[in-house]
Amino acid sequence: MSPNGSDRSSRRPMRRKLPQVLTAGLILATATGCTYRDFPRLGMPTPVTEEAPRILSLWQGSWAAALITGILVWGLIVWSVIFHRRSRTKVEVPPQTRYNMPIEALYTVVPLIIVSVLFYFTARDESKLISLEDKPAHTINVVGYQWSWGFNYVENVDGSSTTGAKVPSELADIPQKFQDDFPAGAEGVYDAGIPGTKNPQNGNPGPTLWLPKGEKVRFVLTSRDVIHSFWVVPFLMKQDVIPGHTNAFEVTPNREGTFMGKCAELCGVDHSRMLFNVKVVSPERYQQHLKELAEKGQDGYIPSGIELTDPARNAEKKQL
């Protein structure tokens, strides 16, 4: 048999398998469990805060930019394969071009433009997401420790402005700029978990953080030991919890329900068990929960974390 005949015979099985491969790919693409309503989010969960749609929009825009770039690159590859394939009648080496300044300038400038545009929108949205109001409606000190979470609700639970006039020693390491925004008379309540803690309503692992719907909440993030990361999945945002340095961000929950949270930073042996729940309820139910914690004897605060490092303290002084 001639070499050409052997080439044709070797191609036939591949052509026969092509429909099977395409069918398998179609099955994989349609068997992910996503509906047409989920597709626009491109893998992101449904946002549950007023700030999360900004993150979702940035995510969708990045995908659109990547898709346009991919189509351009794939199109150029297909074009070169079709129009510059070797002719069956000509076997000579095609003309070789060493330098082409317009093309070289193109593939240098275009990536710079793409990165600059992505950087602009990312910086714009990030500055908005981490900006803090002067007086949030609620402040919660989220404490990360190996291997669970504690929540200090800095609230005036009893309604008296005379109690909690002095910042307790448990919160003394939180920077002054955050202490200034604590509500007057905040004696506070707390909740703390261990890896074996479970939500009594649905059995999900981890302690439960309660939030009021429709009211802005500031999270002040502190750590007692190593770096953790506070991530509530449907918030579409996470922030590191760093020992000796305080981070903070604010959200306004706009949907009631119980949502999953976890540590997103490898922090030790039981990192995978650093789970928690977030329960968004009405403002009235939220206030009732704070009173329930006080009735159970969980008034005051748990220690927020270790002392600020000198660089962090100096940075806070410059900001003030």
Side-chain angles (χ1 to χ4, degrees):
M1 181 180 291
S2 65
N4 291 337
S6 62
D7 289 343
R8 293 194 187 101
S9 62
S10 62
R11 292 173 185 170
R12 288 171 184 168
M14 292 300 296
R15 292 178 179 176
R16 293 172 182 170
K17 291 180 181 179
L18 183 59
Q20 301 175 4
V21 173
L22 294 176
T23 302
L26 181 62
I27 293 174
L28 289 175
T30 57
T32 58
C34 297
T35 68
Y36 71 94
R37 295 180 180 178
D38 298 326
F39 180 75
R41 295 197 307 274
L42 300 170
M44 284 286 193
T46 302
V48 297
T49 68
E50 293 182 2
E51 295 77 12
R54 177 180 291 271
I55 303 173
L56 180 60
S57 177
L58 181 64
W59 172 254
Q60 293 168 327
S62 300
W63 266 95
L67 184 59
I68 293 172
T69 304
I71 291 174
L72 175 62
V73 173
W74 296 332
L76 291 174
I77 292 174
V78 172
W79 177 81
S80 62
V81 167
I82 294 176
F83 291 97
H84 292 279
R85 67 188 186 278
R86 190 184 70 174
S87 174
R88 293 182 179 180
T89 58
K90 298 179 181 179
V91 293
E92 70 273 7
V93 176
Q96 303 296 302
T97 302
R98 282 194 169 187
Y99 303 103
N100 188 305
M101 291 304 297
I103 292 179
E104 292 184 16
L106 179 67
Y107 64 62
T108 301
V109 172
V110 170
L112 288 176
I113 295 175
I114 294 173
V115 172
S116 299
V117 172
L118 291 174
F119 176 82
Y120 165 76
F121 286 106
T122 302
R124 182 199 65 179
D125 291 343
E126 181 181 2
S127 62
K128 183 67 176 178
L129 290 166
I130 63 176
S131 64
L132 304 177
E133 292 187 356
D134 292 338
K135 289 288 184 179
H138 306 277
T139 298
I140 299 177
N141 171 215
V142 177
V143 185
Y145 48 86
Q146 293 173 317
W147 284 277
S148 193
W149 300 89
F151 308 114
N152 286 323
Y153 297 88
V154 187
E155 299 276 2
N156 185 1
V157 181
D158 61 6
S160 173
S161 59
T162 59
T163 57
K166 182 180 179 181
V167 175
S169 59
E170 291 84 357
L171 305 182
D173 292 324
I174 293 177
Q176 187 65 41
K177 66 176 181 179
F178 298 125
Q179 295 183 19
D180 292 341
D181 289 335
F182 288 171
E187 71 280 358
V189 291
Y190 72 88
D191 195 3
I194 60 174
T197 303
K198 292 187 177 181
N199 185 308
Q201 295 178 333
N202 55 22
N204 289 346
T208 300
L209 169 64
W210 289 58
L211 301 177
K213 177 184 176 182
E215 298 182 356
K216 187 170 288 292
V217 179
R218 175 182 295 178
F219 298 113
V220 179
L221 311 177
T222 56
S223 171
R224 291 185 191 172
D225 36 52
V226 300
I227 297 177
H228 303 281
S229 186
F230 180 71
W231 181 26
V232 183
V233 178
F235 284 9
L236 309 188
M237 180 177 177
K238 59 186 176 67
Q239 198 169 54
D240 284 348
V241 185
I242 304 173
H245 176 80
T246 303
N247 281 331
F249 70 96
E250 297 174 350
V251 299
T252 304
N254 58 11
R255 178 181 173 188
E256 294 189 13
T258 301
F259 311 103
M260 181 179 66
K262 61 178 68 178
C263 176
E265 184 77 24
L266 182 60
C267 57
V269 176
D270 283 335
H271 159 71
S272 62
R273 301 182 68 188
M274 276 199 68
L275 306 174
F276 63 98
N277 305 278
V278 174
K279 187 177 181 64
V280 180
V281 295
S282 66
E284 296 76 17
R285 181 67 183 91
Y286 173 75
Q287 294 297 332
Q288 180 183 346
H289 175 68
L290 298 182
K291 294 178 181 180
E292 291 171 354
L293 291 176
E295 291 172 358
K296 290 192 295 185
Q298 295 176 222
D299 50 349
Y301 307 100
I302 61 174
S304 62
I306 67 175
E307 184 180 359
L308 287 178
T309 60
D310 288 336
R313 186 179 295 105
N314 293 335
E316 295 297 337
K317 291 178 181 178
K318 291 179 181 178
Q319 292 176 2
L320 293 173

